[in-house]
Amino acid sequence: MTRPVLEVRDLAVEFDTENGRVRAVNNVSFSVNAGEVVGLVGESGCGKTVTGLSLLGLVPSPPGEVVNGKILLDGHDLLKLNEAGMRKIRGSEVSMIFQEPMTALNPVLTLGYQMTEVLRLHKSLSKRQARNAAIEMLGIVGIPVPSKRIDEYPHEMSGGMRQRVMIAMALSCGPKLLIADEPTTALDVTTQAQVLDEIVRLQHQFEMAVILITHDLGVVAQTCQRALVMYCGELVEAAPIEPLFASPRHPYTQGLIRSIPRIREHKIDRLPVIEGMVPDIAALPDGCHFADRCNRVQADCHERSPVLTPSAEAGAVACWHPLEPQHD
Amino acid sequence: MTKPLLEVRNLVKHFPVRGGGFSFMRQQLKAVDDVSFTLLPGQTLGLVGESGCGKSTLGRALLRLQEPNSGQVFFEGRDILQMNRAELKAQRRDMQMIFQDPFASLSPRRTVAQTIREPLDVHGIGTSLERRKRVEELIELVGLRAAVLNRYPHEFSGGQRQRIGIARALALNPKFIVADEPVSALDVSVQSQVLNLIKDLQLQLGVSFVFISHDLAVIQHISDVVAVMYLGRIVEQAAVSSLYASPKHPYTQALLSAVPAPYPAAGAKRIILAGDVPSPISPPSGCAFHPRCPAAQAKCQTTEPQQTTLQSGGHQRHFTCHYPLGN
């Protein structure tokens, strides 16, 4: 039994908005084991990024606030830490990379300056040691001639290169957990393939756990061992990749998987769709939030909210009438 | 033999750029470089490629939203590049565009009705009453209720806004629409709704599309013919079934294999291209793809490949490669 690196229990995050207080993340619980890549999937506004940010204490406050829950990193609750304690964790124990590498890097500082900052802060290296370590990391993430590129500015690099620099920076202190928020969404498919490959390779090399936040189920299928599916701020399904894709239990997961346009051997006339649209989180319907769009809806779905219940094959589903698991 | 609706010959669009550093030499960025294709009535041509390959510039050049440098664009036999302003304005009734970003392409100060009505106003079509009827017809055609007409864009979700953009493009009953990444900004569950809508309209109204996307799965779903662009040129062009089943150009093959399949496939082999797309200001010598091509040979570095045309099953396919892949 591997011990979880990260355990999140009953996490709830609320935001003050013009329309009152809304709950962006509601009672989310999950764990991530060492050396595991877990996908956190959902459509825009489902709370996946907020969940990621809250793990690092980065939820903007105000308007945001973590109102409930525990975030246990190796058994220590991060929510109990003050800002100084959190700063020690960020970048050294837990790192994060973001979607848009151009905005995440400072355009007026060289890569070397930005990369050595983390190393000097967390590892108290000298300037020279930090520079050497940074050059080594750039080499590891596959940047050619790192000793030269380290003195360049972000605008001198392509999108894929910048994302590699972000990864190098995030990994330079050997974190136990990497949170990657849509790391390849801004990249072209060929570059996306390179960067995903890199993340998987480095994850093995550094034996770290990765939470990959994405809207792209294709990326999850190719990269992760397990996936968590979010809808309207809640986890609706959690399962290892194979059973999740072969036999999803939640109708939303099934709808999502079906509706992705995929390259097919034979063209089909119409793509399967999930009818309707995601409800406004400021005015969520009672009961199951997916009920209005669900093709398996029954009367009780509108009355009581389903809770995430463990099911077969190490999965869990929050649905009153889940799909039957299928076996080949 | 059906007459083509659109025939593009040797279209070129260069942008002048200032050289880097202290060089004040003007250089040319070849965004669209010698592109030719034909589009039959009712057909959809999918234009696919990575960012910066020139697909959007080509789409805009077809409508003269960006003036091409040279070449010919025949629309129903008349070269639109030779038209004067008045002729072009009249011609634009038949040629419309759907944009990528449904948040930027609708004026926030206009109601939905005003937005959809604008093309009718510009071209002075019908009486005020007839225009109102047409707007109601259009909004229902794209799957929204007439009750939304007095609302403003910010009240809608991305998918609904894109429907409004589609209604505006359809207002004049065009024969031809350039759709530039119309579903890229949408979530998957909404994306498939909008794709189905576009396909329905295509069948119902017989509109021809040039559909621009970086997403190969979307392109396969929507297109009859596919053109793959790399650094301003079409490197392969074929009927959708043959292109996906047996790509001839190594770039097409690499693109196809890079798409993450939405199911776990252990041991599936992906071709990972090395490096990035080179700068279109100084494209590599010979075949522009050779520095990244897994099948490159000495000849590819020196000699620019010419287009090969094959006849297969009543369709033509074109590719530009010295060493095309077998079946």
Side-chain angles (χ1 to χ4, degrees):
Chain A
M1 181 79 198
T2 33
R3 230 168 41 106
V5 177
L6 177 81
E7 225 184 315
V8 176
R9 284 191 209 146
D10 302 321
L11 182 70
V13 185
E14 291 183 348
F15 281 85
D16 283 319
T17 70
E18 284 171 18
N19 306 324
R21 215 169 163 83
V22 298
R23 195 163 259 221
V25 175
N26 192 18
N27 292 331
V28 164
S29 302
F30 63 91
S31 63
V32 181
N33 293 329
E36 192 183 30
V37 185
V38 175
L40 189 57
V41 223
E43 298 181 271
S44 17
C46 73
K48 56 192 193 298
T49 293
V50 173
T51 304
L53 290 175
S54 61
L55 301 182
L56 275 173
L58 290 175
V59 173
S61 166
E65 193 192 345
V66 176
V67 291
N68 187 34
K70 282 196 166 88
I71 297 172
L72 304 171
L73 183 75
D74 276 338
H76 303 289
D77 192 350
L78 297 185
L79 291 177
K80 295 231 166 71
L81 293 175
N82 57 17
E83 185 53 32
M86 201 63 221
R87 220 177 288 152
K88 274 193 190 137
I89 303 279
R90 269 183 223 138
S92 68
E93 308 270 307
V94 186
S95 278
M96 187 154 182
I97 49 180
F98 299 91
Q99 172 169 353
E100 187 37 79
M102 194 62 213
T103 49
L105 288 167
N106 190 330
V108 298
L109 300 175
T110 61
L111 298 183
Y113 188 96
Q114 301 184 55
M115 289 191 69
T116 50
E117 199 182 7
V118 207
L119 288 161
R120 298 190 61 196
L121 209 69
H122 288 302
K123 289 198 157 173
S124 349
L125 298 182
S126 74
K127 248 185 178 168
R128 175 166 297 270
Q129 286 169 322
R131 188 180 158 87
N132 289 338
I135 292 175
E136 195 191 326
M137 269 320 293
L138 285 177
I140 289 175
V141 298
I143 298 218
V145 215
S147 54
K148 185 166 156 268
R149 305 231 56 158
I150 193 165
D151 295 316
E152 291 187 356
Y153 290 88
H155 75 266
E156 297 177 78
M157 318 197 102
S158 67
M161 287 282 198
R162 281 184 217 132
Q163 200 55 286
R164 282 166 197 264
V165 172
M166 287 303 298
I167 295 170
M169 231 156 134
L171 300 191
S172 55
C173 293
K176 293 174 188 144
L177 175 67
L178 174 71
I179 302 164
D181 187 1
E182 303 269 12
T184 58
T185 308
L187 306 176
D188 279 313
V189 270
T190 57
T191 321
Q192 166 171 292
Q194 292 171 1
V195 170
L196 288 179
D197 247 37
E198 207 61 48
I199 291 178
V200 170
R201 191 177 63 78
L202 293 167
Q203 179 259 331
H204 283 297
Q205 190 175 339
F206 289 80
E207 291 172 352
M208 60 181 175
V210 176
I211 297 178
L212 186 69
I213 301 175
T214 178
H215 69 283
D216 188 336
L217 281 165
V219 168
V220 171
Q222 301 309 315
T223 319
C224 303
Q225 281 111 47
R226 211 149 54 83
L228 311 164
V229 183
M230 284 188 83
Y231 187 74
C232 290
E234 293 176 351
L235 276 186
V236 295
E237 184 159 7
I241 293 300
E242 279 80 18
L244 186 84
F245 281 86
S247 144
R249 306 286 319 276
H250 199 287
Y252 176 64
T253 315
Q254 185 193 42
L256 263 192
I257 293 172
R258 282 192 179 166
S259 63
I260 325 170
R262 61 183 70 183
I263 295 177
R264 297 167 199 268
E265 250 172 75
H266 299 288
K267 272 179 79 162
I268 51 167
D269 280 341
R270 296 185 67 78
L271 294 171
V273 299
I274 304 176
E275 294 301 335
M277 49 186 196
V278 181
D280 184 355
I281 54 164
L284 285 176
D286 285 339
C288 172
H289 302 324
F290 186 61
D292 291 336
R293 305 177 73 189
C294 184
N295 54 10
R296 296 172 64 84
V297 64
Q298 295 187 27
D300 57 343
C301 299
H302 292 291
E303 286 153 22
R304 297 173 302 146
S305 300
V307 282
L308 199 68
T309 317
S311 65
E313 289 176 310
V317 61
C319 178
W320 294 123
H321 309 284
L323 295 143
E324 286 304 313
Q326 281 159 21
H327 301 282
D328 304 324
Chain B
M1 178 89 191
T2 24
K3 270 223 201 119
L5 178 78
L6 189 75
E7 200 175 345
V8 179
R9 284 193 207 146
N10 310 102
L11 195 68
V12 172
K13 173 67 194 172
H14 290 180
F15 293 101
V17 285
R18 215 191 57 164
F22 290 104
S23 145
F24 288 92
M25 291 266 290
R26 300 272 267 186
Q27 289 176 303
Q28 297 292 323
L29 185 154
K30 296 175 180 170
V32 175
D33 197 12
D34 196 14
V35 164
S36 306
F37 64 87
T38 54
L39 183 67
L40 299 178
Q43 233 185 15
T44 296
L45 175 94
L47 203 54
V48 69
E50 296 180 275
S51 31
C53 73
K55 53 191 192 303
S56 289
T57 307
L58 173 56
R60 300 174 69 92
L62 294 178
L63 302 180
R64 272 180 81 181
L65 293 175
Q66 226 141 30
E67 230 25 85
N69 296 73
S70 66
Q72 291 158 310
V73 178
F74 293 101
F75 188 84
E76 297 186 314
R78 296 176 63 211
D79 188 352
I80 63 159
L81 302 189
Q82 301 300 327
M83 289 178 184
N84 61 31
R85 279 181 71 118
E87 288 171 319
L88 185 65
K89 184 184 163 189
Q91 192 66 68
R92 285 230 170 101
R93 287 176 62 161
D94 288 332
M95 318 167 72
Q96 293 290 319
M97 182 139 188
I98 301 169
F99 298 92
Q100 169 170 6
D101 186 344
F103 293 83
S105 61
L106 299 178
S107 167
R109 292 161 186 251
R110 291 191 186 175
T111 63
V112 174
Q114 286 169 331
T115 295
I116 301 178
R117 223 179 74 144
E118 196 189 7
L120 301 171
D121 294 341
V122 168
H123 290 275
I125 289 165
T127 62
S128 151
L129 189 72
E130 282 165 346
R131 285 180 205 169
R132 180 140 39 118
K133 284 205 105 153
R134 176 74 181 138
V135 169
E136 285 173 10
E137 210 176 282
L138 285 163
I139 201 76
E140 278 164 20
L141 190 65
V142 297
L144 296 174
R145 284 169 296 112
V148 307
L149 284 171
N150 292 320
R151 298 217 219 136
Y152 289 89
H154 75 264
E155 301 175 61
F156 295 92
S157 69
Q160 290 172 320
R161 284 181 207 214
Q162 206 51 297
R163 287 172 192 265
I164 296 166
I166 293 171
R168 173 177 60 185
L170 291 173
L172 297 166
N173 263 325
K175 294 176 182 158
F176 171 56
I177 293 177
V178 174
D180 189 0
E181 302 266 15
V183 296
S184 312
L186 309 176
D187 272 317
V188 270
S189 75
V190 182
Q191 190 180 19
S192 37
Q193 291 174 4
V194 174
L195 283 172
N196 281 342
L197 172 70
I198 292 179
K199 212 152 184 204
D200 289 346
L201 294 171
Q202 201 182 325
L203 290 173
Q204 207 176 327
L205 308 172
V207 192
S208 295
F209 279 88
V210 165
F211 192 102
I212 301 169
S213 177
H214 67 283
D215 187 328
L216 285 141
V218 169
I219 287 282
Q220 185 197 26
H221 179 69
I222 209 88
S223 316
D224 303 302
V225 181
V226 179
V228 181
M229 280 186 85
Y230 189 74
L231 285 178
R233 287 171 175 250
I234 292 180
V235 295
E236 180 162 8
Q237 190 182 332
V240 64
S241 53
S242 35
L243 186 105
Y244 281 74
S246 63
K248 287 282 176 198
H249 201 288
Y251 179 61
T252 312
Q253 188 191 35
L255 269 186
L256 286 170
S257 90
V259 180
Y263 41 83
K269 249 207 183 150
R270 285 204 278 164
I271 302 167
I272 307 266
L273 288 180
D276 294 309
V277 181
S279 157
I281 299 171
S282 51
S285 63
C287 170
F289 183 57
H290 86 258
R292 303 177 77 195
C293 183
Q297 300 190 27
K299 186 180 174 188
C300 306
Q301 295 179 23
T302 51
T303 320
E304 207 175 301
Q306 296 302 310
Q307 193 180 69
T308 315
T309 301
L310 284 185
Q311 294 285 346
S312 70
H315 295 290
Q316 280 193 343
R317 63 184 302 178
H318 311 281
F319 47 87
T320 312
C321 179
H322 289 304
Y323 304 102
L325 303 159
N327 285 326

